[in-house]
Amino acid sequence: MNDDRDEDTNDRGDDRENDIGNDRGDAVGNDIGELKNFVVAHTRSQGLPPEHYDPLLDRIHHDENGTPGSWVYEWSADASRLAAEGRLLEASVHYNMARFPFVDGTARATALERCTAAFERWADDFPAVRRLDVELPEGRVRCWTTGLDARDPKPLLVMTGGIVSVKEQWAPVLLQLGQLGFAGVVTEMPGVGENTLPYDAQAHRMFSAVLDAVADRADTSRTFALALSFSGHLALRAALSDDRIKGVVGAGAPLHDFFTDTEWQRSVPRITTDTLAHLARTTPEEVYGLVKDWALAPEELSALRIPVAHVTSLRDEIIPPGDARLLRERVRSARFLNHDDVHGSPTFFAQTRLWTLLSVLRMRGGYEEQRIALTREFARLRYGAGRPDAPRDARSGTRSGVRS
């Protein structure tokens, strides 16, 4: 179904530095084919072109430990080289890919440590980017911030990724927020990266805790959440009880059916189920029984009185189509961008990035000049004459197009 709330796209280093823990007592390892498929969206979001990551992926043959030919080793080898060349943000990106999808032993733990260390060294050159630790009884929420100022508190944008995304991936957005009149906080879901909170039925309270921590330096009464994938579920639940959250922009968010549809759960990719189980501190066999009560009820969605914007992948293999349908039915003010693509819509990343940021600005209001510029760029990507074909997606085999 398509209505005036929709915007659709369719048609179809050295060896010592790279010693990353091959003595670990790690898990058996992830399915290497799934790793290569599902990392595509994340490489593109980090600005890595196929001509760069394709040869790297070709060198990877297993995920057993941190030895040559393994997932962690080959990504870390490139990261080490980039760090030695002083390309710290790129090194951080590569160590992040080495850590993907989650820390399951010493090899990936070392990759995560080097990811955050390289990012910290990069951030040293940007005084506006600062670290924030929010200590709670259940654990620590580690964040990167920008624009926090007690003398001039600005509206707050809180940005979070999904179950495999670390906060360091948001670096380019952090650097732009000052021009858009926002203070910003980027962090991770519970259990992801350096966030030590448990991922459980109360995980959404993390948002309120972060707002409390910066309330003296930002106008948290005007908070907006850019919460992708699984964190979108947490942000919407948080908005039900925290009226400081004035809008939520998400993409590929599980809402109800993902948590309750046992038939759909049997088809969810192993990498997703394993990651979810890791974060929930249970087993893949038991995780869906644990999370079934986390679903947002239809009446809870109907109770939302804030603007919501959502990017839906029409061939999402992780989130069932009923979840976006429920959001449409229950949140009448919601706006949608639909892509004919798999989860994360990697083919359309540039469009998604512009549309989600534009959606936040629409919710907040003001900054008309910037909104016009973003709208024009978004329209150029979707409708521009002579627009070059989008790169072919390794998972979907499609190229981008437009349905008018």
Side-chain angles (χ1 to χ4, degrees), residues 1-3 5-6 8 325 328-329 332 338 403:
M1 182 177 76
N2 186 29
D3 59 29
R5 294 186 288 158
D6 288 283
D8 296 288
R325 187 163 55 245
R328 178 193 305 280
E329 293 169 353
R332 299 304 300 174
N338 298 331
R403 181 172 69 202

Side-chain angles (χ1 to χ4, degrees), residues 16 26 50 66-67 81 89 99 108 128 208 237 241 340 366 401 404:
R16 179 185 58 81
D26 285 355
T67 57
R81 174 182 56 80
L89 190 57
R99 166 219 61 94
R108 280 185 167 85
S208 294
R237 184 167 290 288
S241 58
D340 185 4
S404 59

Side-chain angles (χ1 to χ4, degrees), residues 90-292:
E90 293 173 80
S92 179
V93 168
H94 284 68
Y95 280 128
N96 177 29
M97 296 300 107
R99 166 219 61 94
F100 183 90
F102 60 87
V103 172
D104 59 354
T106 57
R108 280 185 167 85
T110 300
L112 175 61
E113 291 171 2
R114 293 180 178 174
C115 167
T116 57
F119 188 91
E120 287 183 14
R121 291 171 58 198
W122 170 84
D124 285 342
D125 290 333
F126 298 92
V129 178
R130 298 183 178 181
R131 200 174 81 179
L132 168 71
D133 285 348
V134 181
E135 301 289 347
L136 301 170
E138 301 85 2
R140 179 196 64 214
V141 183
R142 178 160 285 176
C143 315
W144 289 102
T145 73
T146 187
L148 298 178
D149 188 345
R151 297 166 300 177
D152 181 23
K154 299 177 179 63
L156 182 67
L157 180 60
V158 179
M159 295 167 283
T160 50
I163 59 176
V164 296
S165 300
V166 298
K167 60 190 177 301
E168 285 73 21
Q169 296 180 206
W170 293 91
V173 181
L174 271 180
L175 297 178
Q176 297 173 0
L177 291 185
Q179 303 170 25
L180 302 175
F182 279 109
V185 173
V186 299
T187 190
E188 297 142 329
M189 284 187 57
V192 178
E194 296 183 299
N195 188 327
T196 64
L197 293 181
Y199 183 42
D200 57 22
Q202 305 304 318
H204 63 280
R205 295 180 178 178
M206 174 190 79
F207 281 92
S208 294
V210 170
L211 268 56
D212 291 343
V214 301
D216 59 340
R217 291 166 288 166
D219 181 3
T220 56
S221 68
R222 291 189 292 164
T223 295
F224 301 86
L226 177 49
L228 306 183
S229 193
F230 282 73
S231 70
H233 166 258
L234 299 184
L236 288 171
R237 184 167 290 288
L240 287 169
S241 58
D242 193 330
D243 62 8
R244 293 175 294 181
I245 300 174
K246 295 300 191 288
V248 174
V249 179
L255 301 176
H256 181 275
D257 290 3
F258 176 85
F259 299 104
T260 62
D261 187 337
T262 56
E263 183 177 355
W264 178 271
Q265 290 163 358
R266 285 193 286 270
S267 69
V268 172
R270 173 191 159 189
I271 193 172
T272 302
T273 299
D274 287 352
T275 304
L276 193 63
H278 171 77
L279 300 185
R281 303 177 184 179
T282 187
T283 66
E285 293 76 23
E286 297 176 346
V287 65
Y288 291 112
L290 177 66
V291 305
K292 61 182 174 61

Side-chain angles (χ1 to χ4, degrees), residues 35-87:
L35 281 177
K36 291 183 178 183
N37 281 336
F38 282 90
V39 81
V40 168
H42 299 275
T43 55
R44 289 189 178 175
S45 71
Q46 296 293 280
L48 301 181
E51 56 268 25
H52 173 80
Y53 64 73
D54 278 347
L56 193 160
L57 293 178
D58 286 343
R59 301 200 304 267
I60 298 172
H61 305 292
H62 61 86
D63 189 42
E64 295 178 0
N65 53 38
T67 57
S70 72
W71 181 269
V72 184
Y73 183 95
E74 297 302 335
W75 279 107
S76 295
D78 274 22
S80 177
R81 174 182 56 80
L82 290 165
E85 295 172 359
R87 297 158 66 181

Side-chain angles (χ1 to χ4, degrees), residues 1-19:
M1 182 177 76
N2 186 29
D3 59 29
D4 60 3
R5 294 186 288 158
D6 288 283
E7 300 178 69
D8 296 288
T9 55
N10 74 359
D11 214 350
R12 306 288 214 222
D14 62 35
D15 289 339
R16 179 185 58 81
E17 277 296 311
N18 203 37
D19 179 7

